[in-house]
Amino acid sequence: MPINSDKPQQWKEDVCASVDQFNKWFVVFAPKAFREARLKTTVDVENSLRLTSDLTKIDATSIAANPQILPTLRMATCPPLARDRLVGLASTTKNLVYKFEEGIVPRRLPKAILQEHLGRISAVILKMLDRDVFPWLASNKGPAVSERHRASTIIADRLCGAVSDPIIRNAQEKRQLAFIQSFLDRRGYRSVQHPQSADIKTMAPGTFSFRLNVRVGEAPNFVNIPVDVVVQAKNAKKTVLPLLIEAKSAGDFTNVTKRRKEEAAKMQQLRAAYGTGVRYILFLCGYFDTGYLGYEAAEGMDWVWEHRIDDLARLGI
């Protein structure tokens, strides 16, 4: 039986409760998550500064030897440069810049061409360095420890500001998964690391596992669908498909509208592989409006609200 998808008369009330819950969490925990990310990023920035002799040696050689410093260099300019803006200014390629930001040096690119592109990138960065943040560049002296740390904190703040949404989203996802685990622990379930290559139907009754890939499709064109939580009921018989849970949180209504087709597509793939009896449930917290809910319900999706997590028990667990 459906849990929430067949009860549109409750949707508005649940949306309000879910938004309130997310906002309370955000005010208390989001600043902490951001500060922790900024602290780690500050250390990374300080290392990047040292690898360029505190920005006095920015050239093709230094970037090629340490591609992971490129995000720091982009944020060290005035104004800070987005990746695509750097691509345009340096007349380089998006693939090269993106690979370097992943810490990867393209091996197939001829060395001479690579040096040419990195030379243009370093020239742009040198020309646009935010010298107010790095006062030691105006002298022949290296920075004091306090100067380097202060500058690193500023650049780390820019880096984290550019990816603040993913930082908050990752923190919220960890909290959601911990909340689900606490619920399952109280009901006597055991956490296991189910082998990624094994059929999920072979999961032992009374167990659950995080972040499993569920294989769908025909050989050799298999597709792995990532699932946040897989739970096998205590009374499940062999070869029974476990409950699949997708944890989702949102801090605004706009993004969920853009992404609402993703879950429906996953459901279609799972049904094609395992039949109409597949149970793929959304675990929601935050800004999911009635338009989103109506779309998912029409696609055969159901959901459990985090503020009413006990509804999971109605699914046989």
Coordinates of all heavy atoms in Angstrom, one line a residue, residues 173-261:
E173 N 23.2 15.1 3.8 CA 23.1 13.7 3.5 C 23.7 12.8 4.5 O 23.1 11.7 4.9 CB 23.8 13.4 2.1 CG 23.8 12.0 1.7 CD 24.5 11.8 0.4 OE1 24.0 12.2 -0.7 OE2 25.6 11.2 0.4
K174 N 24.8 13.1 5.1 CA 25.4 12.3 6.2 C 24.4 12.3 7.4 O 24.3 11.2 8.0 CB 26.7 12.9 6.6 CG 27.8 12.8 5.6 CD 29.1 13.4 6.1 CE 30.3 13.3 5.1 NZ 31.5 13.9 5.6
R175 N 23.8 13.4 7.7 CA 22.8 13.4 8.8 C 21.6 12.5 8.5 O 21.2 11.8 9.4 CB 22.4 14.9 9.0 CG 21.7 15.1 10.4 CD 20.9 16.4 10.3 NE 19.9 16.4 9.3 CZ 18.8 15.7 9.4 NH1 18.5 15.0 10.5 NH2 17.9 15.7 8.4
Q176 N 21.1 12.6 7.3 CA 20.0 11.7 6.9 C 20.3 10.3 7.1 O 19.5 9.5 7.6 CB 19.5 12.0 5.5 CG 18.6 13.3 5.4 CD 18.0 13.4 4.0 OE1 18.7 13.6 3.0 NE2 16.7 13.3 4.0
L177 N 21.5 9.9 6.5 CA 21.8 8.5 6.6 C 22.1 8.0 8.0 O 21.7 6.9 8.4 CB 23.1 8.2 5.8 CG 23.0 8.5 4.3 CD1 24.3 8.1 3.6 CD2 21.8 7.7 3.7
A178 N 22.6 8.9 8.9 CA 22.8 8.6 10.3 C 21.4 8.4 11.0 O 21.3 7.5 11.8 CB 23.6 9.6 11.0
F179 N 20.5 9.2 10.6 CA 19.1 9.1 11.1 C 18.4 7.8 10.8 O 17.8 7.2 11.6 CB 18.3 10.3 10.7 CG 17.0 10.6 11.4 CD1 17.0 10.4 12.8 CD2 15.9 11.0 10.8 CE1 15.9 10.6 13.5 CE2 14.7 11.3 11.5 CZ 14.7 11.1 12.9
I180 N 18.6 7.4 9.5 CA 18.1 6.1 9.1 C 18.7 5.0 9.8 O 18.1 4.0 10.2 CB 18.2 6.0 7.5 CG1 17.4 7.0 6.8 CG2 17.9 4.6 7.1 CD1 17.6 7.0 5.3
Q181 N 20.0 5.0 9.9 CA 20.7 4.0 10.7 C 20.3 3.9 12.1 O 20.1 2.8 12.6 CB 22.3 4.2 10.6 CG 23.0 3.1 11.4 CD 24.5 3.1 11.0 OE1 25.0 3.9 10.2 NE2 25.2 2.2 11.6
S182 N 20.1 5.0 12.8 CA 19.6 5.0 14.1 C 18.2 4.3 14.2 O 18.0 3.5 15.1 CB 19.5 6.4 14.7 OG 19.0 6.4 16.0
F183 N 17.4 4.6 13.3 CA 16.0 4.0 13.2 C 16.2 2.5 13.1 O 15.5 1.7 13.8 CB 15.2 4.6 12.1 CG 13.9 3.9 11.8 CD1 12.8 4.2 12.5 CD2 13.8 2.9 10.8 CE1 11.6 3.6 12.3 CE2 12.6 2.3 10.6 CZ 11.5 2.6 11.3
L184 N 17.0 2.0 12.1 CA 17.2 0.6 11.9 C 17.8 -0.1 13.1 O 17.5 -1.2 13.4 CB 18.0 0.4 10.6 CG 17.3 0.8 9.3 CD1 18.2 0.8 8.1 CD2 16.0 0.0 9.0
D185 N 18.8 0.6 13.7 CA 19.5 0.0 14.8 C 18.5 -0.3 16.0 O 18.5 -1.4 16.6 CB 20.6 0.9 15.4 CG 21.8 0.9 14.5 OD1 22.0 0.0 13.6 OD2 22.6 1.9 14.6
R186 N 17.6 0.7 16.2 CA 16.6 0.5 17.2 C 15.7 -0.7 16.9 O 15.1 -1.3 17.9 CB 15.8 1.8 17.4 CG 16.5 3.0 17.9 CD 15.6 4.0 18.4 NE 14.6 4.4 17.4 CZ 14.8 5.4 16.6 NH1 16.0 6.1 16.6 NH2 13.9 5.8 15.7
R187 N 15.5 -1.0 15.7 CA 14.6 -2.1 15.3 C 15.4 -3.4 15.1 O 14.8 -4.4 14.6 CB 13.9 -1.8 14.0 CG 13.0 -0.5 14.2 CD 12.2 -0.2 13.0 NE 11.1 -1.2 12.7 CZ 9.9 -1.2 13.3 NH1 9.6 -0.2 14.2 NH2 9.0 -2.1 13.0
G188 N 16.6 -3.4 15.6 CA 17.4 -4.7 15.6 C 18.0 -5.1 14.3 O 18.5 -6.3 14.1
Y189 N 18.2 -4.1 13.3 CA 18.9 -4.5 12.1 C 20.4 -4.3 12.2 O 20.9 -3.5 13.0 CB 18.3 -3.6 11.0 CG 17.0 -4.0 10.4 CD1 15.8 -3.7 11.1 CD2 16.9 -4.7 9.2 CE1 14.6 -4.2 10.7 CE2 15.7 -5.1 8.7 CZ 14.5 -4.8 9.5 OH 13.3 -5.3 9.0
R190 N 21.1 -5.0 11.4 CA 22.6 -5.0 11.4 C 23.1 -4.3 10.1 O 22.6 -4.6 9.0 CB 23.2 -6.4 11.5 CG 22.9 -7.1 12.8 CD 23.6 -8.5 12.8 NE 23.1 -9.4 11.7 CZ 23.8 -9.7 10.6 NH1 25.0 -9.2 10.5 NH2 23.3 -10.5 9.7
S191 N 24.1 -3.5 10.3 CA 24.8 -2.9 9.2 C 25.8 -3.8 8.6 O 26.6 -4.3 9.3 CB 25.4 -1.5 9.6 OG 26.2 -1.0 8.5
V192 N 25.8 -4.0 7.3 CA 26.7 -4.9 6.6 C 27.3 -4.2 5.4 O 26.6 -3.3 4.9 CB 26.1 -6.3 6.2 CG1 25.6 -7.0 7.4 CG2 25.0 -6.1 5.2
Q193 N 28.4 -4.6 5.0 CA 29.0 -4.1 3.7 C 28.8 -5.2 2.7 O 29.6 -6.0 2.4 CB 30.5 -3.8 3.9 CG 31.1 -3.1 2.7 CD 30.5 -1.8 2.4 OE1 30.3 -1.0 3.3 NE2 30.1 -1.6 1.2
H194 N 27.6 -5.0 2.0 CA 27.3 -6.0 1.0 C 28.2 -5.8 -0.2 O 28.4 -4.7 -0.7 CB 25.8 -5.8 0.6 CG 25.3 -6.9 -0.3 ND1 25.0 -8.2 0.1 CD2 25.0 -6.9 -1.6 CE1 24.6 -8.9 -0.9 NE2 24.5 -8.2 -2.0
P195 N 28.8 -6.9 -0.7 CA 29.7 -6.8 -1.9 C 29.0 -6.1 -3.1 O 27.9 -6.5 -3.4 CB 30.0 -8.2 -2.2 CG 29.8 -9.0 -0.9 CD 28.6 -8.3 -0.3
Q196 N 29.7 -5.2 -3.7 CA 29.1 -4.4 -4.8 C 28.8 -5.4 -6.0 O 27.9 -5.1 -6.8 CB 30.1 -3.3 -5.3 CG 30.3 -2.2 -4.3 CD 29.1 -1.3 -4.2 OE1 28.2 -1.3 -5.0 NE2 29.1 -0.4 -3.2
S197 N 29.6 -6.4 -6.1 CA 29.4 -7.3 -7.3 C 28.3 -8.4 -7.0 O 27.9 -9.1 -8.0 CB 30.7 -8.0 -7.6 OG 31.2 -8.7 -6.5
A198 N 27.8 -8.5 -5.8 CA 26.9 -9.5 -5.5 C 25.4 -9.1 -5.7 O 25.1 -7.9 -5.6 CB 27.0 -9.9 -4.0
D199 N 24.6 -10.0 -6.0 CA 23.1 -9.7 -6.3 C 22.5 -9.2 -5.0 O 22.7 -9.8 -3.9 CB 22.4 -11.0 -6.7 CG 21.0 -10.7 -7.2 OD1 20.4 -9.7 -6.8 OD2 20.5 -11.5 -8.0
I200 N 21.8 -8.1 -5.0 CA 21.3 -7.5 -3.8 C 20.2 -8.4 -3.2 O 19.9 -8.3 -2.0 CB 20.7 -6.1 -4.0 CG1 19.6 -6.1 -5.0 CG2 21.8 -5.1 -4.3 CD1 18.9 -4.8 -5.1
K201 N 19.7 -9.3 -4.0 CA 18.7 -10.3 -3.5 C 19.3 -11.3 -2.5 O 18.5 -11.9 -1.8 CB 18.0 -11.0 -4.6 CG 17.1 -10.2 -5.5 CD 16.5 -11.0 -6.6 CE 15.6 -10.2 -7.5 NZ 15.0 -11.0 -8.6
T202 N 20.6 -11.4 -2.5 CA 21.3 -12.3 -1.6 C 21.5 -11.7 -0.2 O 22.2 -12.4 0.6 CB 22.6 -12.8 -2.2 OG1 23.5 -11.7 -2.4 CG2 22.3 -13.5 -3.6
M203 N 21.1 -10.4 0.0 CA 21.3 -9.8 1.3 C 20.6 -10.6 2.4 O 19.5 -11.1 2.2 CB 20.8 -8.4 1.3 CG 21.7 -7.4 0.7 SD 21.1 -5.7 0.9 CE 21.4 -5.5 2.7
A204 N 21.3 -10.8 3.5 CA 20.8 -11.6 4.6 C 19.6 -10.8 5.3 O 19.6 -9.6 5.4 CB 21.8 -11.8 5.7
P205 N 18.5 -11.5 5.7 CA 17.4 -10.9 6.3 C 17.9 -10.1 7.6 O 18.8 -10.6 8.3 CB 16.5 -12.1 6.7 CG 16.8 -13.1 5.7 CD 18.3 -13.0 5.5
G206 N 17.3 -9.0 7.8 CA 17.6 -8.2 9.0 C 18.9 -7.4 8.9 O 19.5 -7.0 9.9
T207 N 19.3 -7.1 7.6 CA 20.6 -6.3 7.4 C 20.3 -5.1 6.5 O 19.3 -5.1 5.8 CB 21.7 -7.2 6.8 OG1 21.3 -7.6 5.5 CG2 21.9 -8.4 7.6
F208 N 21.2 -4.2 6.5 CA 21.1 -3.0 5.6 C 22.5 -2.6 5.3 O 23.5 -2.9 5.9 CB 20.4 -1.9 6.3 CG 21.0 -1.3 7.5 CD1 21.9 -0.1 7.4 CD2 20.8 -1.8 8.8 CE1 22.5 0.4 8.5 CE2 21.5 -1.2 9.9 CZ 22.3 -0.1 9.7
S209 N 22.6 -1.9 4.1 CA 23.9 -1.5 3.6 C 23.7 -0.1 3.0 O 22.7 0.2 2.4 CB 24.4 -2.5 2.6 OG 25.8 -2.2 2.3
F210 N 24.8 0.7 3.1 CA 24.7 2.0 2.5 C 25.4 2.1 1.1 O 26.4 1.3 0.9 CB 25.4 3.1 3.4 CG 24.7 3.4 4.7 CD1 25.3 3.3 5.9 CD2 23.3 3.7 4.6 CE1 24.6 3.6 7.1 CE2 22.6 4.0 5.8 CZ 23.3 3.9 7.0
R211 N 24.9 2.9 0.2 CA 25.6 3.3 -1.0 C 26.0 2.0 -1.8 O 27.2 1.8 -2.1 CB 26.8 4.2 -0.8 CG 26.4 5.5 -0.2 CD 27.6 6.5 -0.2 NE 27.2 7.8 0.1 CZ 27.2 8.3 1.4 NH1 27.6 7.5 2.4 NH2 26.8 9.5 1.6
L212 N 25.0 1.3 -2.2 CA 25.2 0.2 -3.1 C 24.8 0.5 -4.5 O 24.0 1.3 -4.8 CB 24.3 -1.0 -2.6 CG 24.8 -1.8 -1.4 CD1 23.8 -3.0 -1.2 CD2 26.2 -2.3 -1.6
N213 N 25.5 -0.1 -5.5 CA 25.2 0.0 -6.9 C 24.3 -1.2 -7.3 O 24.7 -2.4 -7.1 CB 26.4 0.0 -7.7 CG 27.2 1.3 -7.6 OD1 26.6 2.3 -7.5 ND2 28.5 1.2 -7.6
V214 N 23.1 -0.9 -7.8 CA 22.2 -1.9 -8.2 C 22.3 -2.0 -9.7 O 22.1 -1.1 -10.4 CB 20.7 -1.6 -7.8 CG1 19.7 -2.7 -8.3 CG2 20.6 -1.4 -6.3
R215 N 22.6 -3.2 -10.2 CA 22.8 -3.4 -11.6 C 21.5 -3.7 -12.4 O 20.7 -4.5 -11.9 CB 23.8 -4.6 -11.8 CG 24.1 -4.9 -13.3 CD 25.2 -6.0 -13.4 NE 26.5 -5.5 -13.0 CZ 27.6 -6.2 -13.1 NH1 27.5 -7.4 -13.6 NH2 28.7 -5.7 -12.7
V216 N 21.4 -2.9 -13.4 CA 20.2 -3.1 -14.3 C 20.6 -3.2 -15.7 O 21.8 -2.8 -16.1 CB 19.2 -2.0 -14.2 CG1 18.7 -1.9 -12.7 CG2 19.8 -0.6 -14.6
G217 N 19.8 -3.7 -16.6 CA 20.1 -3.8 -18.0 C 20.6 -5.2 -18.4 O 20.7 -6.1 -17.6
E218 N 20.9 -5.3 -19.7 CA 21.4 -6.6 -20.2 C 22.9 -6.5 -20.5 O 23.4 -5.5 -20.9 CB 20.6 -6.9 -21.5 CG 19.1 -7.1 -21.3 CD 18.7 -8.3 -20.5 OE1 19.5 -9.2 -20.5 OE2 17.6 -8.3 -19.9
A219 N 23.5 -7.7 -20.3 CA 24.9 -7.8 -20.7 C 25.1 -7.6 -22.2 O 24.3 -8.0 -23.0 CB 25.5 -9.2 -20.3
P220 N 26.2 -6.9 -22.6 CA 27.3 -6.4 -21.8 C 27.0 -4.9 -21.4 O 27.9 -4.2 -20.9 CB 28.5 -6.5 -22.7 CG 27.9 -6.3 -24.1 CD 26.5 -6.8 -24.0
N221 N 25.8 -4.4 -21.6 CA 25.5 -3.0 -21.4 C 24.9 -2.8 -20.0 O 23.8 -2.2 -20.0 CB 24.7 -2.5 -22.5 CG 25.3 -2.6 -23.9 OD1 26.5 -2.3 -24.0 ND2 24.6 -3.1 -24.9
F222 N 25.5 -3.3 -19.0 CA 24.9 -3.1 -17.7 C 25.0 -1.7 -17.2 O 25.9 -0.9 -17.6 CB 25.7 -4.0 -16.6 CG 25.4 -5.5 -16.7 CD1 26.4 -6.4 -17.0 CD2 24.1 -5.9 -16.6 CE1 26.1 -7.7 -17.1 CE2 23.8 -7.3 -16.7 CZ 24.8 -8.2 -16.9
V223 N 24.1 -1.2 -16.4 CA 24.1 0.1 -15.8 C 24.0 0.0 -14.3 O 23.1 -0.8 -13.8 CB 23.0 1.0 -16.4 CG1 23.0 2.3 -15.6 CG2 23.1 1.2 -17.9
N224 N 24.9 0.6 -13.6 CA 24.8 0.6 -12.1 C 24.0 1.8 -11.6 O 24.4 3.0 -11.9 CB 26.2 0.6 -11.5 CG 26.9 -0.7 -11.7 OD1 26.3 -1.8 -11.6 ND2 28.2 -0.7 -11.9
I225 N 23.0 1.6 -10.9 CA 22.2 2.6 -10.3 C 22.6 2.8 -8.8 O 22.4 1.8 -8.0 CB 20.7 2.3 -10.4 CG1 20.2 2.3 -11.8 CG2 19.8 3.4 -9.6 CD1 18.8 2.1 -12.1
P226 N 23.1 3.9 -8.4 CA 23.5 4.1 -7.0 C 22.3 4.3 -6.1 O 21.4 5.0 -6.4 CB 24.4 5.3 -7.0 CG 23.9 6.1 -8.2 CD 23.5 5.1 -9.2
V227 N 22.3 3.5 -5.0 CA 21.2 3.6 -4.0 C 21.7 3.9 -2.7 O 22.7 3.2 -2.2 CB 20.3 2.3 -4.0 CG1 19.2 2.4 -3.0 CG2 19.7 2.0 -5.4
D228 N 21.2 4.8 -2.0 CA 21.7 5.3 -0.7 C 21.6 4.2 0.4 O 22.6 4.0 1.1 CB 21.0 6.6 -0.2 CG 21.4 7.8 -1.1 OD1 22.5 7.8 -1.5 OD2 20.5 8.6 -1.3
V229 N 20.5 3.6 0.6 CA 20.3 2.6 1.6 C 19.5 1.4 1.0 O 18.5 1.6 0.4 CB 19.5 3.2 2.8 CG1 19.5 2.2 4.0 CG2 20.0 4.5 3.2
V230 N 20.0 0.2 1.3 CA 19.3 -1.0 0.9 C 19.0 -1.8 2.2 O 20.0 -2.1 2.9 CB 20.2 -1.8 -0.1 CG1 19.5 -3.1 -0.5 CG2 20.5 -1.0 -1.3
V231 N 17.8 -2.2 2.4 CA 17.3 -2.8 3.6 C 16.6 -4.1 3.3 O 15.7 -4.1 2.5 CB 16.4 -2.0 4.5 CG1 16.1 -2.6 5.8 CG2 17.0 -0.6 4.6
Q232 N 17.1 -5.2 3.9 CA 16.4 -6.5 3.7 C 15.6 -6.8 5.0 O 16.2 -6.9 6.1 CB 17.4 -7.6 3.4 CG 16.8 -9.0 3.1 CD 16.0 -9.0 1.8 OE1 14.9 -8.4 1.8 NE2 16.5 -9.6 0.7
A233 N 14.3 -7.0 4.8 CA 13.5 -7.2 6.0 C 13.8 -8.4 6.7 O 14.4 -9.4 6.2 CB 12.0 -7.3 5.5
K234 N 13.5 -8.5 8.0 CA 13.9 -9.6 8.9 C 13.2 -10.9 8.4 O 13.7 -12.0 8.5 CB 13.5 -9.3 10.3 CG 14.3 -8.2 11.0 CD 13.9 -8.0 12.4 CE 14.7 -6.9 13.1 NZ 14.2 -6.7 14.5
N235 N 12.0 -10.7 8.0 CA 11.2 -11.9 7.6 C 11.3 -12.2 6.1 O 10.4 -13.0 5.5 CB 9.7 -11.8 8.0 CG 9.1 -10.5 7.3 OD1 9.8 -9.7 6.7 ND2 7.8 -10.4 7.5
A236 N 12.2 -11.6 5.4 CA 12.3 -11.8 3.9 C 12.8 -13.2 3.6 O 13.6 -13.7 4.2 CB 13.3 -10.7 3.3
K237 N 12.2 -13.7 2.5 CA 12.6 -15.0 2.0 C 13.8 -14.8 1.0 O 14.1 -13.7 0.6 CB 11.5 -15.7 1.3 CG 10.3 -16.0 2.3 CD 9.2 -16.6 1.5 CE 8.0 -16.9 2.4 NZ 6.8 -17.5 1.7
K238 N 14.4 -15.9 0.7 CA 15.5 -15.8 -0.3 C 15.1 -15.3 -1.6 O 13.9 -15.5 -2.0 CB 16.2 -17.2 -0.4 CG 17.0 -17.6 0.8 CD 17.7 -19.0 0.5 CE 18.5 -19.4 1.7 NZ 19.1 -20.7 1.5
T239 N 15.9 -14.6 -2.3 CA 15.7 -14.0 -3.6 C 14.7 -12.9 -3.6 O 14.1 -12.5 -4.7 CB 15.3 -15.1 -4.7 OG1 14.0 -15.5 -4.4 CG2 16.3 -16.2 -4.7
V240 N 14.3 -12.3 -2.5 CA 13.4 -11.2 -2.4 C 14.2 -9.9 -2.5 O 15.2 -9.7 -1.9 CB 12.6 -11.2 -1.1 CG1 11.8 -9.9 -0.9 CG2 11.7 -12.4 -1.0
L241 N 13.7 -9.0 -3.4 CA 14.4 -7.8 -3.6 C 14.2 -6.9 -2.4 O 13.1 -6.7 -1.9 CB 13.8 -7.0 -4.8 CG 14.5 -5.8 -5.3 CD1 15.9 -6.1 -5.9 CD2 13.7 -5.0 -6.3
P242 N 15.3 -6.3 -1.8 CA 15.2 -5.5 -0.6 C 14.5 -4.2 -0.9 O 14.3 -3.8 -2.0 CB 16.7 -5.3 -0.2 CG 17.5 -6.3 -1.0 CD 16.7 -6.5 -2.2
L243 N 14.3 -3.4 0.2 CA 13.8 -2.1 0.1 C 14.9 -1.2 -0.3 O 16.0 -1.2 0.3 CB 13.2 -1.7 1.4 CG 12.7 -0.2 1.6 CD1 11.5 0.1 0.6 CD2 12.3 0.1 3.0
L244 N 14.7 -0.3 -1.3 CA 15.7 0.6 -1.8 C 15.3 2.1 -1.4 O 14.1 2.5 -1.6 CB 15.8 0.6 -3.3 CG 16.0 -0.8 -3.9 CD1 16.0 -0.8 -5.4 CD2 17.2 -1.5 -3.3
I245 N 16.2 2.8 -0.7 CA 15.8 4.1 -0.2 C 16.8 5.1 -0.7 O 18.0 5.0 -0.7 CB 15.9 4.1 1.4 CG1 15.0 3.1 2.0 CG2 15.5 5.5 1.9 CD1 15.1 3.0 3.5
E246 N 16.3 6.2 -1.3 CA 17.1 7.3 -1.8 C 16.9 8.5 -0.9 O 15.8 9.1 -0.7 CB 16.6 7.7 -3.2 CG 17.4 8.8 -3.8 CD 18.6 8.3 -4.5 OE1 18.9 7.1 -4.6 OE2 19.4 9.2 -5.0
A247 N 17.9 8.9 -0.1 CA 17.8 10.0 0.8 C 18.0 11.3 0.0 O 19.0 11.5 -0.7 CB 18.9 9.9 1.8
K248 N 17.1 12.3 0.2 CA 17.1 13.5 -0.5 C 16.8 14.7 0.4 O 15.8 14.6 1.2 CB 16.1 13.5 -1.7 CG 16.4 12.5 -2.8 CD 15.5 12.6 -4.0 CE 15.8 13.9 -4.7 NZ 17.1 13.9 -5.3
S249 N 17.5 15.7 0.3 CA 17.3 17.0 1.0 C 17.4 18.1 0.0 O 18.1 18.0 -1.0 CB 18.2 17.2 2.2 OG 19.6 17.3 1.7
A250 N 16.7 19.2 0.3 CA 16.8 20.4 -0.6 C 16.6 21.7 0.2 O 15.7 21.7 1.1 CB 15.7 20.3 -1.7
G251 N 17.4 22.7 -0.1 CA 17.3 24.0 0.6 C 16.5 25.0 -0.2 O 16.4 26.2 0.3
D252 N 15.9 24.6 -1.3 CA 15.0 25.6 -2.1 C 14.1 24.7 -3.0 O 14.4 23.6 -3.3 CB 15.8 26.6 -2.8 CG 16.7 26.0 -3.9 OD1 16.2 25.6 -4.9 OD2 17.9 25.9 -3.6
F253 N 13.1 25.4 -3.5 CA 12.1 24.7 -4.3 C 12.6 24.5 -5.8 O 12.1 23.7 -6.5 CB 10.8 25.4 -4.3 CG 10.0 25.2 -3.0 CD1 9.6 26.3 -2.3 CD2 9.7 24.0 -2.5 CE1 8.9 26.2 -1.1 CE2 9.1 23.8 -1.3 CZ 8.6 25.0 -0.6
T254 N 13.5 25.4 -6.2 CA 13.9 25.5 -7.6 C 14.7 24.2 -8.0 O 14.4 23.6 -9.1 CB 14.8 26.7 -7.9 OG1 14.1 27.9 -7.5 CG2 15.2 26.8 -9.4
N255 N 15.6 23.8 -7.2 CA 16.5 22.7 -7.6 C 15.7 21.4 -7.7 O 16.0 20.5 -8.6 CB 17.6 22.5 -6.7 CG 18.7 23.5 -6.9 OD1 18.9 24.0 -8.0 ND2 19.5 23.9 -5.9
V256 N 14.7 21.2 -6.8 CA 14.0 19.9 -6.9 C 13.1 19.8 -8.2 O 12.9 18.7 -8.7 CB 13.1 19.7 -5.6 CG1 13.9 19.7 -4.4 CG2 12.0 20.8 -5.5
T257 N 12.7 20.9 -8.7 CA 11.9 20.9 -9.9 C 12.8 20.5 -11.1 O 12.4 19.8 -12.0 CB 11.3 22.3 -10.2 OG1 10.5 22.7 -9.1 CG2 10.5 22.4 -11.5
K258 N 14.1 21.0 -11.0 CA 15.0 20.6 -12.1 C 15.4 19.2 -12.1 O 15.6 18.5 -13.1 CB 16.3 21.5 -12.0 CG 16.0 23.0 -12.2 CD 17.3 23.7 -12.0 CE 17.2 25.2 -12.3 NZ 18.4 26.0 -12.0
R259 N 15.4 18.6 -10.9 CA 16.0 17.2 -10.7 C 14.9 16.1 -10.5 O 15.2 15.0 -10.3 CB 16.9 17.2 -9.5 CG 18.1 18.2 -9.7 CD 19.0 18.2 -8.4 NE 19.5 16.9 -8.1 CZ 20.1 16.6 -6.9 NH1 20.2 17.5 -6.0 NH2 20.6 15.4 -6.7
R260 N 13.6 16.5 -10.6 CA 12.6 15.5 -10.2 C 12.5 14.4 -11.2 O 12.0 13.3 -10.8 CB 11.2 16.2 -10.2 CG 10.7 16.8 -11.5 CD 9.5 17.6 -11.3 NE 9.0 18.1 -12.6 CZ 7.9 18.8 -12.7 NH1 7.2 19.2 -11.6 NH2 7.4 19.2 -13.9
K261 N 13.0 14.5 -12.4 CA 13.0 13.4 -13.4 C 14.0 12.3 -13.1 O 13.9 11.2 -13.6 CB 13.2 14.0 -14.8 CG 12.1 14.9 -15.3 CD 12.4 15.4 -16.7 CE 11.2 16.3 -17.2 NZ 11.5 16.7 -18.6

